[in-house]
Amino acid sequence: MAIRNKLYFASDFHLGTGTYQKSREREDRLVRWLDSIRHDAAEVFLMGDVFDFWFEYKTVVPKGYIRFLGKLAELADAGVKLYFFKGNHDMWMFDYFETELGATIISNELEIERNGKKFYLHHGDGLGPGDNFYKILKKIFRSKLCQWLFARIHPNLGVGIANYWSRNSRIANEKKDDHKPGEQEWLVVYCGEVLQTHVYDYMIFGHRHMPLDIQLSPQTRYINLGEWVSNNTYASFDGETVTLHYFEK
Protein backbone atom coordinates (compact mmCIF):
# COMPACT_ATOMS: atom_id res chain seq x y z
CA MET A 1 0.00 0.00 0.00
CA ALA A 2 1.34 3.44 -0.95
CA ILE A 3 2.26 5.80 1.87
CA ARG A 4 0.33 9.05 1.88
CA ASN A 5 2.96 11.59 2.90
CA LYS A 6 2.91 14.43 0.35
CA LEU A 7 1.29 17.84 0.40
CA TYR A 8 -0.07 19.28 -2.86
CA PHE A 9 -0.89 22.91 -3.59
CA ALA A 10 -2.80 24.30 -6.59
CA SER A 11 -4.75 27.46 -7.36
CA ASP A 12 -6.71 29.42 -9.94
CA PHE A 13 -8.52 26.70 -11.88
CA HIS A 14 -11.27 29.21 -12.78
CA LEU A 15 -13.71 26.43 -13.58
CA GLY A 16 -16.58 27.90 -15.55
CA THR A 17 -14.61 30.58 -17.36
CA GLY A 18 -14.49 30.55 -21.15
CA THR A 19 -16.71 28.33 -23.24
CA TYR A 20 -18.40 25.26 -21.79
CA GLN A 21 -16.08 23.06 -23.86
CA LYS A 22 -12.92 24.80 -22.60
CA SER A 23 -14.08 24.59 -19.01
CA ARG A 24 -14.88 20.88 -19.41
CA GLU A 25 -11.43 20.25 -20.90
CA ARG A 26 -9.90 22.01 -17.89
CA GLU A 27 -12.09 19.99 -15.54
CA ASP A 28 -11.04 16.72 -17.22
CA ARG A 29 -7.39 17.76 -16.91
CA LEU A 30 -7.85 18.47 -13.20
CA VAL A 31 -9.46 15.06 -12.73
CA ARG A 32 -6.41 13.46 -14.38
CA TRP A 33 -4.14 15.47 -12.08
CA LEU A 34 -6.06 14.39 -8.98
CA ASP A 35 -5.86 10.78 -10.20
CA SER A 36 -2.09 11.15 -10.56
CA ILE A 37 -1.61 12.29 -6.93
CA ARG A 38 -4.21 10.19 -5.15
CA HIS A 39 -1.75 7.39 -4.30
CA ASP A 40 0.57 9.56 -2.16
CA ALA A 41 -1.40 12.72 -1.24
CA ALA A 42 -1.91 13.29 2.47
CA GLU A 43 -3.25 16.84 2.15
CA VAL A 44 -4.42 18.87 -0.85
CA PHE A 45 -4.57 22.66 -0.60
CA LEU A 46 -6.83 24.28 -3.23
CA MET A 47 -5.76 27.87 -2.80
CA GLY A 48 -8.52 29.99 -4.23
CA ASP A 49 -10.33 30.77 -7.48
CA VAL A 50 -11.12 27.10 -7.92
CA PHE A 51 -14.32 28.35 -9.57
CA ASP A 52 -14.70 31.47 -11.66
CA PHE A 53 -17.82 32.09 -9.59
CA TRP A 54 -19.30 30.34 -6.57
CA PHE A 55 -22.19 31.16 -4.26
CA GLU A 56 -23.88 28.81 -1.82
CA TYR A 57 -27.54 29.48 -1.33
CA LYS A 58 -29.07 27.63 1.60
CA THR A 59 -30.27 24.75 -0.61
CA VAL A 60 -28.65 25.53 -4.00
CA VAL A 61 -25.09 25.58 -5.36
CA PRO A 62 -23.96 26.37 -8.93
CA LYS A 63 -24.45 23.42 -11.25
CA GLY A 64 -21.61 21.73 -13.10
CA TYR A 65 -18.13 20.47 -12.16
CA ILE A 66 -19.55 17.08 -11.19
CA ARG A 67 -16.50 15.10 -12.33
CA PHE A 68 -14.12 17.34 -10.42
CA LEU A 69 -16.24 17.30 -7.27
CA GLY A 70 -16.72 13.55 -7.55
CA LYS A 71 -12.96 13.03 -7.71
CA LEU A 72 -12.48 15.24 -4.65
CA ALA A 73 -15.08 13.14 -2.85
CA GLU A 74 -13.14 10.01 -3.81
CA LEU A 75 -9.95 11.48 -2.33
CA ALA A 76 -11.75 12.60 0.82
CA ASP A 77 -13.26 9.14 1.28
CA ALA A 78 -9.75 7.67 0.94
CA GLY A 79 -8.55 9.82 3.83
CA VAL A 80 -6.97 12.76 1.99
CA LYS A 81 -7.44 16.03 3.89
CA LEU A 82 -8.79 18.84 1.69
CA TYR A 83 -8.48 22.60 2.17
CA PHE A 84 -10.42 25.21 0.19
CA PHE A 85 -9.16 28.80 0.27
CA LYS A 86 -11.55 31.60 -0.57
CA GLY A 87 -10.30 33.49 -3.61
CA ASN A 88 -11.53 36.71 -5.12
CA HIS A 89 -13.78 34.77 -7.54
CA ASP A 90 -15.15 32.21 -5.08
CA MET A 91 -15.14 34.04 -1.76
CA TRP A 92 -18.77 33.06 -1.09
CA MET A 93 -18.00 29.56 0.18
CA PHE A 94 -19.76 28.66 3.38
CA ASP A 95 -20.28 25.10 4.66
CA TYR A 96 -21.10 23.01 1.55
CA PHE A 97 -17.60 21.56 1.11
CA GLU A 98 -17.21 21.11 4.84
CA THR A 99 -20.41 19.06 4.95
CA GLU A 100 -19.91 17.05 1.76
CA LEU A 101 -16.13 16.57 1.75
CA GLY A 102 -15.01 17.22 5.32
CA ALA A 103 -12.90 20.04 3.87
CA THR A 104 -11.52 22.96 5.83
CA ILE A 105 -12.50 26.39 4.47
CA ILE A 106 -9.82 29.08 4.80
CA SER A 107 -10.98 32.70 4.61
CA ASN A 108 -7.59 34.42 4.78
CA GLU A 109 -4.14 33.09 5.65
CA LEU A 110 -3.25 29.67 7.01
CA GLU A 111 -0.05 28.98 8.91
CA ILE A 112 1.02 25.36 9.25
CA GLU A 113 4.09 23.38 10.19
CA ARG A 114 4.87 20.05 8.55
CA ASN A 115 8.00 17.98 9.14
CA GLY A 116 9.73 20.93 10.79
CA LYS A 117 8.99 23.35 7.93
CA LYS A 118 6.83 26.43 8.47
CA PHE A 119 4.36 27.49 5.76
CA TYR A 120 2.44 30.70 5.20
CA LEU A 121 -0.46 30.09 2.79
CA HIS A 122 -2.89 32.63 1.27
CA HIS A 123 -4.73 33.05 -2.02
CA GLY A 124 -2.98 36.41 -2.36
CA ASP A 125 -5.83 38.79 -3.17
CA GLY A 126 -5.79 42.17 -1.47
CA LEU A 127 -2.22 41.84 -0.21
CA GLY A 128 0.73 44.11 -0.86
CA PRO A 129 0.72 47.54 -2.54
CA GLY A 130 -1.82 48.56 -5.17
CA ASP A 131 -5.23 47.08 -6.05
CA ASN A 132 -6.90 49.54 -3.67
CA PHE A 133 -10.31 49.44 -5.38
CA TYR A 134 -10.48 45.66 -5.00
CA LYS A 135 -9.50 45.89 -1.32
CA ILE A 136 -12.60 48.03 -0.75
CA LEU A 137 -14.79 45.66 -2.79
CA LYS A 138 -13.48 42.68 -0.86
CA LYS A 139 -14.67 44.16 2.43
CA ILE A 140 -18.09 44.83 0.92
CA PHE A 141 -18.51 41.41 -0.72
CA ARG A 142 -17.40 39.59 2.42
CA SER A 143 -19.82 41.47 4.63
CA LYS A 144 -22.74 39.52 6.09
CA LEU A 145 -25.15 42.15 4.77
CA CYS A 146 -23.94 41.80 1.18
CA GLN A 147 -24.15 38.00 1.36
CA TRP A 148 -27.63 38.13 2.89
CA LEU A 149 -28.86 40.54 0.20
CA PHE A 150 -27.44 38.45 -2.65
CA ALA A 151 -29.05 35.31 -1.21
CA ARG A 152 -32.44 37.02 -1.60
CA ILE A 153 -31.99 37.05 -5.42
CA HIS A 154 -33.32 34.03 -7.32
CA PRO A 155 -30.36 31.78 -8.37
CA ASN A 156 -31.21 32.08 -12.08
CA LEU A 157 -30.76 35.85 -11.89
CA GLY A 158 -28.13 35.93 -9.18
CA VAL A 159 -25.73 33.49 -10.83
CA GLY A 160 -26.22 35.23 -14.18
CA ILE A 161 -25.33 38.62 -12.71
CA ALA A 162 -22.35 37.18 -10.85
CA ASN A 163 -20.99 35.36 -13.91
CA TYR A 164 -21.22 38.58 -15.93
CA TRP A 165 -19.41 40.52 -13.19
CA SER A 166 -16.77 37.80 -12.81
CA ARG A 167 -16.09 37.61 -16.54
CA ASN A 168 -15.75 41.37 -16.99
CA SER A 169 -13.72 41.96 -13.84
CA ARG A 170 -11.26 39.26 -14.92
CA ILE A 171 -10.91 40.80 -18.39
CA ALA A 172 -10.40 44.25 -16.86
CA ASN A 173 -7.76 42.94 -14.48
CA GLU A 174 -5.91 41.21 -17.31
CA LYS A 175 -5.78 44.48 -19.24
CA LYS A 176 -4.49 46.59 -16.37
CA ASP A 177 -2.43 43.99 -14.50
CA ASP A 178 1.23 44.85 -14.26
CA HIS A 179 3.35 41.79 -13.62
CA LYS A 180 6.31 43.37 -11.89
CA PRO A 181 9.67 41.57 -11.84
CA GLY A 182 11.45 40.14 -8.83
CA GLU A 183 11.47 42.29 -5.72
CA GLN A 184 8.83 44.68 -7.11
CA GLU A 185 6.17 42.00 -7.46
CA TRP A 186 3.23 42.81 -5.16
CA LEU A 187 3.25 39.57 -3.19
CA VAL A 188 7.05 39.57 -2.92
CA VAL A 189 6.81 43.06 -1.35
CA TYR A 190 4.14 41.74 1.02
CA CYS A 191 6.29 38.76 1.98
CA GLY A 192 9.17 41.09 2.80
CA GLU A 193 6.93 42.99 5.20
CA VAL A 194 5.73 39.81 6.92
CA LEU A 195 9.26 38.43 7.25
CA GLN A 196 10.30 41.43 9.31
CA THR A 197 8.45 39.95 12.29
CA HIS A 198 7.91 36.27 11.36
CA VAL A 199 9.97 33.42 9.97
CA TYR A 200 8.71 30.91 7.40
CA ASP A 201 10.36 28.34 5.19
CA TYR A 202 7.73 28.67 2.45
CA MET A 203 5.26 31.40 1.56
CA ILE A 204 2.83 30.05 -1.02
CA PHE A 205 0.20 32.00 -2.96
CA GLY A 206 -1.99 31.93 -6.04
CA HIS A 207 -3.91 34.88 -7.51
CA ARG A 208 -1.17 36.44 -9.64
CA HIS A 209 -1.28 33.69 -12.32
CA MET A 210 2.52 33.55 -12.55
CA PRO A 211 4.35 30.32 -11.64
CA LEU A 212 7.28 31.64 -9.60
CA ASP A 213 9.88 30.24 -7.23
CA ILE A 214 11.93 33.03 -5.63
CA GLN A 215 14.48 32.76 -2.83
CA LEU A 216 13.56 35.61 -0.49
CA SER A 217 16.22 34.88 2.12
CA PRO A 218 18.59 32.03 3.01
CA GLN A 219 15.63 30.32 4.74
CA THR A 220 12.49 31.52 2.92
CA ARG A 221 11.17 30.78 -0.55
CA TYR A 222 8.22 32.48 -2.24
CA ILE A 223 6.13 30.18 -4.42
CA ASN A 224 3.37 31.37 -6.73
CA LEU A 225 1.28 28.48 -8.01
CA GLY A 226 0.34 30.00 -11.37
CA GLU A 227 -2.97 28.93 -12.91
CA TRP A 228 -4.70 26.19 -14.91
CA VAL A 229 -6.14 28.13 -17.84
CA SER A 230 -2.83 27.88 -19.71
CA ASN A 231 0.04 26.83 -17.40
CA ASN A 232 -1.37 23.86 -15.42
CA THR A 233 1.05 24.36 -12.54
CA TYR A 234 1.04 23.07 -8.98
CA ALA A 235 3.48 22.47 -6.13
CA SER A 236 4.27 19.50 -3.95
CA PHE A 237 6.02 19.06 -0.60
CA ASP A 238 7.73 15.71 -0.03
CA GLY A 239 8.74 16.35 3.56
CA GLU A 240 12.00 18.04 2.62
CA THR A 241 11.36 20.62 -0.08
CA VAL A 242 8.63 22.27 -2.15
CA THR A 243 8.80 21.73 -5.91
CA LEU A 244 6.87 23.56 -8.62
CA HIS A 245 5.53 21.27 -11.37
CA TYR A 246 3.86 21.58 -14.78
CA PHE A 247 1.12 19.02 -15.48
CA GLU A 248 0.87 17.52 -18.98
CA LYS A 249 3.30 20.02 -20.49
Side-chain angles (χ1 to χ4, degrees), residues 138-149:
K138 182 178 179 179
K139 291 181 179 180
I140 295 172
F141 287 160
R142 286 204 175 187
S143 70
K144 295 293 186 183
L145 175 61
C146 180
Q147 293 167 11
W148 183 87
L149 289 172

Side-chain angles (χ1 to χ4, degrees), residues 21-245:
Q21 180 181 355
K22 289 295 184 182
S23 182
R24 267 297 312 277
E25 289 173 358
R26 195 176 318 123
E27 181 182 7
D28 290 344
R29 189 160 61 249
L30 286 165
V31 168
R32 292 195 297 273
W33 171 63
L34 291 172
D35 262 332
S36 75
I37 69 173
R38 64 178 180 174
H39 64 288
D40 62 5
E43 300 174 90
V44 175
F45 298 80
L46 304 178
M47 293 184 57
D49 287 359
V50 172
F51 308 98
D52 206 52
F53 167 72
W54 186 267
F55 185 85
E56 295 173 21
Y57 292 85
K58 186 173 182 181
T59 57
V60 176
V61 296
K63 71 177 184 180
Y65 326 122
I66 189 169
R67 293 161 184 82
F68 172 68
L69 296 176
K71 184 58 63 174
L72 288 178
E74 182 181 317
L75 266 63
D77 290 345
V80 179
K81 178 61 180 174
L82 303 176
Y83 299 81
F84 277 82
F85 285 66
K86 295 181 180 181
N88 47 303
H89 281 258
D90 50 13
M91 64 176 67
W92 287 339
M93 289 182 181
F94 304 125
D95 63 356
Y96 178 71
F97 296 118
E98 288 181 345
T99 302
E100 297 297 327
L101 301 174
T104 298
I105 307 300
I106 309 299
S107 295
N108 294 298
E109 73 277 355
L110 175 66
E111 299 179 29
I112 62 172
E113 184 171 342
R114 299 291 186 272
N115 208 35
K117 302 292 185 181
K118 294 183 179 180
F119 294 76
Y120 180 96
L121 310 175
H122 195 292
H123 176 61
D125 60 314
L127 303 180
D131 217 3
N132 293 321
F133 180 64
Y134 169 70
K135 291 174 182 177
I136 296 172
L137 286 180
K138 182 178 179 179
K139 291 181 179 180
I140 295 172
F141 287 160
R142 286 204 175 187
S143 70
K144 295 293 186 183
L145 175 61
C146 180
Q147 293 167 11
W148 183 87
L149 289 172
F150 192 86
R152 310 278 76 77
I153 303 173
H154 189 280
N156 287 349
L157 178 59
V159 173
I161 293 172
N163 281 333
Y164 176 82
W165 173 275
S166 177
R167 181 170 61 253
N168 283 276
S169 66
R170 176 170 40 79
I171 291 171
N173 285 334
E174 287 172 355
K175 288 180 179 178
K176 73 180 182 180
D177 208 2
D178 50 345
H179 290 169
K180 298 180 181 296
E183 295 180 356
Q184 300 177 43
E185 166 57 24
W186 289 354
L187 291 178
V188 173
V189 173
Y190 174 77
C191 289
E193 295 171 352
V194 173
L195 291 173
Q196 292 180 18
T197 55
H198 297 77
V199 177
Y200 301 98
D201 295 282
Y202 298 102
M203 302 184 77
I204 302 178
F205 303 84
H207 185 54
R208 294 290 280 158
H209 290 200
M210 299 178 293
L212 294 172
D213 185 344
I214 298 175
Q215 194 76 40
L216 298 177
S217 72
Q219 179 172 347
T220 308
R221 282 166 56 198
Y222 163 82
I223 306 290
N224 194 284
L225 298 168
E227 43 73 31
W228 280 70
V229 177
S230 57
N231 283 317
N232 310 331
T233 43
Y234 67 98
S236 66
F237 176 64
D238 62 4
E240 295 294 331
T241 188
V242 172
T243 305
L244 197 61
H245 306 271

